[in-house]
Amino acid sequence: MFCFQCEQTARGLGCTGCTGCAGVCGKTHDVANDQDDLIGALIGLSNAVKTPDSETDKLMLEALFTTVTNVNFNEETIKEMTSKIDSEAARYNISSLSHYDMKKLWNADEDIRSLKSLILFGIKGMAAYAYHAMVLGYTDTTVNEFFYKALRTIGEKGTMDELLPVVMETGKVNLACMELLDKANTESYGTPVPTTVPLTVEKGPFIVVSGHDLKDLKLLLEQTKDKGINVYTHGEMLPAHAYPLLKEYPQLKGNYGTAWQNQQKEFANIPAPVLFTTNCLMPVKPSYEDRVFTTEVVSYPELVHIGDDKDFAPVIQKALELGGYNEDTEFTGINGGKEVTTGFGHGTVLSVADKVVDAVKAGDIKHFFLVGGCDGARPGRNYYTEFVEKAPTDSIILTLACGKYRFNDLDLGTIDGLPRIMDMGQCNDAYSAIKVAVALADAFDCGVNELPLTMVLSWYEQKAVCILLTLLSLGIKNIYLGPTLPAFLSSNVLNYLVENFNISPTSTPEEDLKKILG
């Protein structure tokens, strides 16, 4: 196996090994190789099929999404997906599909490998966003067509000069994809509104829902009506509490746990089932393996999988069987807070844009920090907690994705009635941050890079890659990235990003704040 697509990759170089070995994420040697074969089949399909239809588009998104970190640990289901790709080729009268050998990529010149990895990992993350929009009935032809172009590019020889434009195009297309998903979510569930979410779990049966898929959450809420079962979000599902249509369900009570990497501790002996709707699944421990369920592309050996019929009866039955806590049980965030807030998407922030602008002009707000992204287990991520704690009291902290769990339970007070911490939502809600930044730049008649705005990002997996590429495609500079730099960035590619975009690795909160604020 060879895999270096996530931040926790072994020794900061790549997870390697033989049969019986596993990567840091828990993915086995065989699963890693099967995922490579699946990508190789997709590259073959993109070369063979010239005018794919909507069925092929759907399969393309499913297959790419399947290979995102912490989605699928199941050799059997990955092989089934590869077989579907081969069968799809047959539907176009292609008798035998040629699979691209991914070893050609992993053994390529390091700069070529680096650029192609940026494209591949970027479209994996983007496929997740496109998939979430698709299940709500929203698609974009331009977005779907780009997946095939990107895969063909990965399979071709290519030079740095030829690959760099495709890297930037990946970011540009992902902006359109995030805009599509934003439209799908808001038109389906309403515009998010600021919402305070308790961390206490009420007594009685309950279900914890993790991941990103709002449609799965809504279907579960429909099926748990009047059954005496409460529903709690986990991880990236927290922002669901801010959507008006989802808020109408009284059994949607609060949030359980923190970010994904803490689940093995937080789910130990939990008296409730957990439903994983997308990525963020870790290898399941014996103490709770009998109560974890998967759906959509998530798969783990021997766990009960909820299929396309979306009949959550097994999850509901398990909740009733386990019974939940005997009395209300109080939990806290990692800093001791008993509640968190969410719902500060672009719709909310732009509705008070005049107030924000006035506060800046009056000197009450002197700086904006976007501190967010993927959380992870590597030591050093307390940097983000300390950064927010040490940020000047006349600054606003915008945040998104599960990186916010490092500090979202802190009480930092307000500025002119505006909360100093504003949770904009899931990782794809980076679109909201971009909308707000552009609006502020327009209000002050300047470019985004001239704003008193600094992005301090944490990354873990492929969704963070496509978001970073989107920011770069917009010409946004001076981004701080941590806790480590991606292993798939060669020194030449890294130098290009530093020279053209002034990307900086995070150091210490004190040093970085001093550098940012002068």
Side-chain angles (χ1 to χ4, degrees):
M1 71 178 290
F2 176 75
C3 184
F4 62 172
Q5 68 176 357
C6 80
E7 185 269 337
Q8 67 181 0
T9 195
R11 304 175 304 283
L13 299 172
C15 293
T16 59
C18 55
T19 302
C21 301
V24 177
C25 72
K27 181 172 57 183
T28 67
H29 163 85
D30 290 334
V31 166
N33 289 342
D34 289 337
Q35 289 190 350
D36 271 0
D37 190 37
L38 176 55
I39 295 297
L42 287 176
I43 293 173
L45 186 69
S46 69
N47 283 315
V49 177
K50 304 306 178 185
T51 54
D53 58 24
S54 59
E55 289 184 33
T56 306
D57 290 345
K58 181 176 183 293
L59 185 59
M60 175 71 69
L61 298 181
E62 286 179 330
L64 283 169
F65 195 175
T66 291
T67 66
V68 169
T69 303
N70 291 20
V71 171
N72 194 317
F73 297 79
N74 193 332
E75 186 179 356
E76 180 181 338
T77 55
I78 296 169
K79 286 183 174 179
E80 287 175 359
M81 181 67 71
T82 304
S83 295
K84 287 182 181 179
I85 300 294
D86 288 322
S87 297
E88 191 72 4
R91 195 165 66 84
Y92 289 90
N93 297 317
I94 299 168
S95 57
S96 179
L97 186 66
S98 176
H99 291 203
Y100 176 78
D101 184 354
M102 292 296 286
K103 290 181 180 178
K104 293 180 181 178
L105 172 57
W106 308 138
N107 294 326
D109 168 85
E110 66 171 355
D111 294 330
I112 299 303
R113 182 180 71 171
S114 182
L115 292 173
K116 287 187 176 183
S117 293
L118 279 168
I119 297 168
L120 176 58
F121 303 155
I123 63 172
K124 285 186 178 187
M126 183 163 58
Y129 297 150
Y131 187 89
H132 292 318
M134 180 190 67
V135 298
L136 292 175
Y138 292 73
T139 58
D140 184 312
T141 301
T142 301
V143 172
N144 286 342
E145 288 177 348
F146 180 74
F147 288 112
Y148 300 95
K149 175 184 176 178
L151 286 164
R152 288 194 298 270
T153 300
I154 293 165
E156 296 166 354
K157 287 186 177 180
T159 64
M160 287 190 69
D161 288 340
E162 292 169 333
L163 292 170
L164 273 169
V166 184
V167 170
M168 291 298 114
E169 188 179 0
T170 304
K172 180 181 178 181
V173 175
N174 184 58
L175 178 62
C177 188
M178 290 194 297
E179 181 179 15
L180 178 71
L181 181 53
D182 178 81
K183 180 180 180 181
N185 285 338
T186 54
E187 291 188 355
S188 298
Y189 307 116
T191 300
V193 295
T195 303
T196 298
V197 182
L199 303 182
T200 295
V201 176
E202 297 181 12
K203 67 178 181 179
F206 69 99
I207 297 170
V208 175
V209 185
S210 190
H212 306 70
D213 200 304
L214 299 180
K215 183 176 181 180
D216 281 334
L217 174 61
K218 183 179 184 299
L219 291 172
L220 179 66
L221 289 170
E222 278 293 318
Q223 293 180 39
T224 52
K225 276 183 177 179
D226 304 319
K227 285 187 166 59
I229 298 174
N230 291 327
V231 175
Y232 292 83
T233 56
H234 171 263
E236 283 273 58
M237 198 63 85
L238 168 63
H241 291 275
Y243 286 90
L245 188 113
L246 299 177
K247 287 166 66 72
E248 292 177 0
Y249 293 89
Q251 74 269 37
L252 182 60
K253 292 289 187 177
N255 191 71
Y256 178 88
T258 52
W260 67 272
Q261 77 278 1
N262 299 319
Q263 66 189 256
Q264 291 178 329
K265 176 180 65 177
E266 294 175 345
F267 293 165
N269 301 309
I270 181 177
V274 182
L275 174 66
F276 279 89
T277 65
T278 59
N279 55 313
C280 302
L281 176 68
M282 294 179 72
V284 182
K285 297 291 188 180
S287 61
Y288 61 92
E289 64 183 2
D290 65 324
R291 57 206 66 189
V292 177
F293 298 80
T294 61
T295 192
E296 291 295 344
V297 298
V298 189
S299 186
Y300 195 88
E302 299 182 9
L303 295 187
V304 176
H305 186 79
I306 306 300
D308 293 340
D309 62 359
K310 296 297 182 182
D311 182 0
F312 293 113
V315 187
I316 292 170
Q317 182 57 41
K318 179 62 72 171
L320 295 172
E321 173 190 320
L322 293 171
Y325 294 107
N326 294 325
E327 57 185 18
D328 292 357
T329 304
E330 187 177 272
F331 294 94
T332 66
I334 65 170
N335 300 291
K338 297 179 181 180
E339 60 186 24
V340 294
T341 59
T342 189
F344 291 91
H346 63 87
T348 293
V349 178
L350 294 182
S351 70
V352 294
D354 291 344
K355 189 172 183 179
V356 173
V357 171
D358 288 344
V360 173
K361 289 181 177 178
D364 297 329
I365 297 176
K366 287 192 170 63
H367 209 91
F368 296 88
F369 295 99
L370 174 61
V371 186
C374 308
D375 204 359
R378 186 186 294 273
R381 284 182 178 263
N382 58 324
Y383 164 95
Y384 297 94
T385 309
E386 294 175 10
F387 187 97
V388 169
E389 289 177 324
K390 295 177 185 299
T393 56
D394 54 9
S395 64
I396 294 288
I397 310 295
L398 306 175
T399 189
L400 48 82
C402 64
K404 61 175 166 269
Y405 281 103
R406 292 281 170 172
F407 51 81
N408 67 340
D409 63 321
L410 292 171
D411 182 4
L412 298 187
T414 62
I415 299 177
D416 293 350
L418 299 168
R420 285 196 56 223
I421 295 181
M422 297 185 185
D423 175 13
M424 308 191 89
Q426 296 180 338
C427 55
N428 54 279
D429 289 310
Y431 176 72
S432 278
I434 292 169
K435 289 276 287 185
V436 169
V438 170
L440 287 174
D442 289 343
F444 290 105
D445 193 24
C446 67
V448 171
N449 291 320
E450 299 171 275
L451 288 171
L453 167 67
T454 304
M455 298 187 180
V456 184
L457 306 180
S458 57
W459 84 281
Y460 172 73
E461 42 90 301
Q462 297 79 66
K463 293 178 184 178
V465 175
C466 66
I467 290 171
L468 177 63
L469 295 181
T470 294
L471 297 174
L472 300 183
S473 74
L474 292 168
I476 295 175
K477 299 182 179 182
N478 307 315
I479 296 170
Y480 286 75
L481 183 64
T484 61
L485 293 176
F488 50 81
L489 289 182
S490 68
S491 57
N492 285 332
V493 171
L494 178 59
N495 288 338
Y496 172 85
L497 296 178
V498 171
E499 290 171 6
N500 288 273
F501 300 99
N502 197 30
I503 289 181
S504 299
T506 54
S507 56
T508 67
E510 295 85 357
E511 291 177 3
D512 290 344
L513 281 166
K514 182 178 180 180
K515 183 178 176 182
I516 292 166
L517 300 173

